[in-house]
Amino acid sequence: MQCKINRNAAKELKKMLDMEEAEGKMIRVYVTENHGDHAHFDLKLDTPTEDDEIVKTDKGIDILLDTKEDFLDGVWIKYFYVDNRGFEITNTSKGGHHHH
């Protein structure tokens, strides 16, 4: 499975992973709503299950993706500091987005 993150997102995700409650956990991208032709995504700290693939990104952060969830393959996590500050998770190959 594929997952990309931008530099800002890597910085913010690293902050999340450095928190005490993140001990032993990883970043998971998951589907909050599936509308058939597109999905909405969010992220959280979680531990891997047997259905997960641990996807290594080029920014040194590993992301958990549930291999049973087709919409997650090709997901792109971005973080913006201006305008709508926060994470944006999109999947242009499958259709889907989240702004948070």
Side-chain angles (χ1 to χ4, degrees):
M1 295 184 91
Q2 299 278 310
C3 178
K4 290 193 294 193
I5 62 178
N6 76 358
R7 234 188 353 246
N8 292 349
K11 222 182 324 190
E12 293 300 316
L13 293 174
K14 191 161 174 13
K15 279 187 210 165
M16 281 173 70
L17 289 167
D18 285 343
M19 294 187 306
E20 257 177 73
E21 60 264 34
E23 186 73 40
K25 295 191 174 174
M26 299 174 71
I27 301 288
R28 171 186 298 285
V29 175
Y30 64 101
V31 172
T32 55
E33 286 175 69
N34 184 332
H35 295 286
D37 62 339
H38 72 281
H40 295 252
F41 307 107
D42 206 346
L43 43 83
K44 63 183 175 185
L45 291 165
D46 206 0
T47 49
T49 69
E50 59 194 30
D51 294 320
D52 291 328
E53 184 175 329
I54 298 171
V55 180
K56 297 195 176 309
T57 68
D58 61 352
K59 304 286 186 291
I61 296 196
D62 296 343
I63 305 290
L64 290 177
L65 297 178
D66 185 338
T67 56
K68 297 191 311 286
E69 191 48 81
D70 195 39
F71 274 116
L72 292 172
D73 191 18
V75 80
W76 193 356
I77 308 165
K78 297 178 216 163
Y79 191 92
F80 298 99
Y81 292 106
V82 291
D83 297 336
N84 294 333
R85 182 187 176 92
F87 283 104
E88 180 185 86
I89 306 170
T90 55
N91 191 338
T92 47
S93 64
K94 302 275 195 312
H97 64 276
H98 170 75
H99 206 104
H100 164 87

